[in-house]
Amino acid sequence: WAREEATDSDRVAHQFPRSRVKDYHYSFSGFKTNVLQSIQKMGKLNDKQCLQVVASAQEAILEALIYQVEKAQKDFGISQVVVTGGVACNSRFRELLPNAYFPKRKHCTDNAAMIGVLSAIYASKDKLRPHTPHLSEARRPRARARQRASRA
């Protein structure tokens, strides 16, 4: 909807903050607060205002993503980028990053859903185990509490 109907002026109607975090990470926490506060100040939005908020927010998010992708390409000498997952379905992202490879949309599903399904399959076969030390049973707060209680 926002991609198809938004104009360039809609995409810059609101100047939301752009995420600029070191080491190729992202943080949108201040961004989300800024968008929420902007909407609250505006009160009830008509369709045009809603489109402007959505298009401006999308533009800010995509600009941050593209900035980091291009920075990584430059810093690591990467010539070809492949974009996958749910974000790869975003037509505006595809438009703004024309030199990247985007699979067909039918192959760009949300990775979180795939991980959830795989986890359910593993759990049903009793094969779901923590693989990293920070997720082990011994380090979980309830496990520590049980250990302390059993020692008392």
Side-chain angles (χ1 to χ4, degrees), residues 7-20:
T7 64
D8 287 340
S9 63
D10 292 329
R11 293 183 184 105
V12 296
H14 300 276
Q15 293 302 310
F16 296 124
R18 273 41 176 182
S19 176
R20 293 284 191 267

Side-chain angles (χ1 to χ4, degrees), residues 119 122-123 126-140 143 146:
S119 297
Y122 273 44
D126 199 32
K127 292 184 178 183
L128 188 62
R129 302 278 184 268
H131 293 284
T132 55
H134 68 279
L135 295 177
S136 68
E137 184 64 26
R139 293 193 176 198
R140 291 188 180 157
R146 283 193 300 260

Side-chain angles (χ1 to χ4, degrees), residues 1-2 10 14 16 49-59:
W1 164 70
D10 292 329
H14 300 276
F16 296 124
Q49 291 170 316
C50 186
L51 177 63
Q52 289 174 333
V53 169
V54 169
S56 296
Q58 176 178 257
E59 207 71 8

